[in-house]
Amino acid sequence: MVVTLQQHYPLLFTLIYSMPDKSYRLSDYDYHLPQENIAQHPAHKRDHSRLLVVDKTGDMLEHRKFTDIIDYLRPGDLIVVNDTKVFPARILGKKITGGRVELFLLEFPRQLSPCPEGEGWHEATAIALLKSSKRPKPGVTLHFSPTLTAAVESYQEDGKANVRLHYRLTASTTDLESVLEAHGQVPLPPYISRSQGSTREDSKRYQTTYAKHTGSVAAPTAGLHFSSEVLTLLQQKGVVVEHITLHVGYGTFAPVRTDDIRDHIIHREYISISPTTAAAVNRTKKNGGRIWAVGTTSVRTLEYATDEQGEVQPIDGVCDLFIYPGYRFRTVDNLITNFHLPQSSLLFLVSALAGRERMLHAYNHAVEQGYRFFSYGDAMAIITKE
């Protein structure tokens, strides 16, 4: 179903497009979202979610199903996905007093040399959040199992804890990642509120089918819609699929607390683009193909790596690019994404791409039409290059 704004909403069209499209006030990025619109579980199948197409070139909204995304890409286009892998960052344990404690790792731990506790024991350091009835003091050891403990070394000014993990490898846990998988839980976002917490289903569905490089505490959720079948059909159509890596950090959930969004300090995240991917993107642009980013993580990575001449460069480093209205996109043409929180930095990004009023109208329309929002919710395709 196609909704043409100018034809179906003439007064609204005149109103929203006569207003200034670029605002830096946080309050101008708000919208009403009923609790029932926040998805608590994924769709029955990955590619069975709904798809709201926002066509900037024709000022249209179109209601489709996600598998229809194939219809919008053409031979010679290139789609970029983020192949980061979510690790089980939430670990439940006890203090030496017996009180419960939750350790939330904010990064994949940095492995150290084998520690002196005995054969098979290893150490790693990490930054974490601790949740308990009383904050553990520095020097306290937290117990998660006979083969995994964590010593609280110190606290940072913002309350984050520096911890040192001690873990013992076994026949079933042969490296740090498998240790965390054995003891940890998938760190679902705070807006997914269930009495039973994360489930075995989440360990599979809160992960993309192409996840490869471990390092994220949250999934690049736009990619959750892509089944292997959809990716295969795209490639058979002549669409090039390339991978980048951005490890999603806890900062992606950090609320914006400044009235002027330009004063917000964006979070820093590790990114990587291979020479092969950079060359493929540049070649596609030169040949007139469109660059489709899957998720805001792919957008930030590609735009950060684009030089002044408009060429994407290989990179292995840290990205702190903050995209908000007024930003000039140099690489990304179209975006496949999910619906984002009100007053969030991700809503700023999509507003920079398609226009604030257009996006707010699309979001309000999606609410009215019963779309499911956020990580396990439905998808949106933003088309700026026809």
Side-chain angles (χ1 to χ4, degrees):
M1 181 177 71
V2 178
V3 178
T4 306
L5 301 185
Q6 192 166 13
Q7 292 177 346
H8 292 261
Y9 303 99
L11 293 179
L12 179 61
F13 182 91
T14 301
L15 175 63
I16 65 176
Y17 292 109
S18 63
M19 297 170 60
D21 197 41
K22 184 169 65 175
S23 172
Y24 302 125
R25 294 183 304 181
L26 180 61
S27 59
D28 287 340
Y29 295 87
D30 200 8
Y31 66 91
H32 174 65
L33 180 66
Q35 185 68 28
E36 57 266 24
N37 284 82
I38 302 176
Q40 298 298 307
H41 296 273
H44 178 61
K45 289 186 176 181
R46 285 185 181 274
D47 53 21
H48 281 205
S49 56
R50 298 171 69 185
L51 175 69
L52 179 64
V53 180
V54 181
D55 187 347
K56 181 180 178 181
T57 66
D59 286 316
M60 292 187 299
L61 298 179
E62 192 170 2
H63 301 288
R64 304 291 292 267
K65 57 183 183 293
F66 187 76
T67 49
D68 293 336
I69 192 66
I70 299 168
D71 298 337
Y72 292 90
L73 285 99
R74 60 177 181 243
D77 283 353
L78 182 145
I79 190 168
V80 178
V81 300
N82 181 6
D83 62 10
T84 187
K85 185 178 180 182
V86 181
F87 69 95
R90 179 175 284 113
I91 310 174
L92 304 179
K94 292 184 177 181
K95 296 180 287 186
I96 195 168
T97 59
R100 296 180 180 180
V101 65
E102 176 185 301
L103 177 72
F104 190 105
L105 298 169
L106 300 180
E107 60 183 14
F108 192 79
R110 297 181 296 279
Q111 301 177 64
L112 304 176
S113 302
C115 70
E117 290 190 27
E119 185 178 354
W121 283 91
H122 298 262
E123 287 186 320
T125 60
I127 300 173
L129 296 177
L130 295 177
K131 183 179 179 182
S132 64
S133 58
K134 189 175 182 181
R135 190 169 83 164
K137 296 180 179 179
V140 167
T141 297
L142 312 175
H143 295 265
F144 304 102
S145 81
T147 57
L148 177 64
T149 63
V152 180
E153 295 193 317
S154 62
Y155 286 97
Q156 301 178 6
E157 290 184 2
D158 57 5
K160 296 173 184 174
N162 299 307
V163 299
R164 183 177 294 260
L165 299 178
H166 298 261
Y167 59 98
R168 185 174 182 273
L169 300 181
T170 66
S172 59
T173 56
T174 56
D175 56 21
L176 178 55
E177 185 172 354
S178 59
V179 169
L180 296 179
E181 289 175 352
H183 297 88
Q185 298 180 1
V186 173
L188 294 178
Y191 45 74
I192 296 180
S193 178
R194 308 183 195 144
S195 58
Q196 79 276 24
S198 61
T199 65
R200 181 173 296 181
E201 178 191 40
D202 295 311
S203 63
K204 179 180 180 181
R205 293 299 303 274
Y206 196 64
Q207 197 81 266
T208 63
T209 58
Y210 43 78
K212 183 179 181 181
H213 300 290
T214 302
S216 282
V217 300
T221 55
L224 299 181
H225 303 283
F226 282 87
S227 62
S228 299
E229 292 78 10
V230 167
L231 289 170
T232 298
L233 289 171
L234 285 171
Q235 290 173 313
Q236 290 175 347
K237 190 175 182 177
V239 175
V240 178
V241 179
E242 289 290 341
H243 295 217
I244 57 88
T245 303
L246 180 147
H247 290 326
V248 184
Y250 190 76
T252 193
F253 300 114
V256 179
R257 302 187 185 279
T258 59
D259 293 330
D260 188 322
I261 65 173
R262 293 171 295 183
D263 296 331
H264 176 64
I265 305 300
I266 199 67
H267 49 284
R268 295 161 56 88
E269 294 167 314
Y270 168 83
I271 62 171
S272 177
I273 299 180
S274 70
T276 300
T277 293
V281 172
N282 294 330
R283 185 168 54 249
T284 299
K285 291 167 61 180
K286 183 178 180 180
N287 294 337
R290 298 172 299 173
I291 306 301
W292 293 72
V294 176
T296 57
T297 58
S298 295
V299 173
R300 291 184 71 220
T301 302
L302 289 171
E303 292 294 321
Y304 185 80
T306 304
D307 63 20
E308 292 299 322
Q309 287 70 45
E311 295 239 328
V312 173
Q313 299 297 325
I315 191 172
D316 188 273
V318 176
C319 172
D320 60 356
L321 178 62
F322 184 17
I323 298 177
Y324 53 83
Y327 178 83
R328 181 177 63 87
F329 289 83
R330 295 178 290 181
T331 293
V332 174
D333 298 310
N334 302 329
L335 170 63
I336 300 167
T337 186
N338 277 25
F339 294 91
H340 305 294
L341 276 72
Q343 299 187 353
S344 65
S345 62
L346 302 184
L347 185 55
F348 306 159
L349 185 152
V350 296
S351 296
L353 182 63
R356 182 180 65 88
E357 289 85 6
R358 181 178 287 104
M359 291 311 303
L360 289 177
H361 171 73
Y363 271 53
N364 288 323
H365 186 73
V367 170
E368 293 173 1
Q369 296 299 313
Y371 277 74
R372 303 166 71 244
F373 277 58
F374 305 158
S375 294
Y376 274 154
D378 295 314
M380 172 185 285
I382 302 174
I383 300 175
T384 71
K385 184 176 181 180
E386 196 171 13

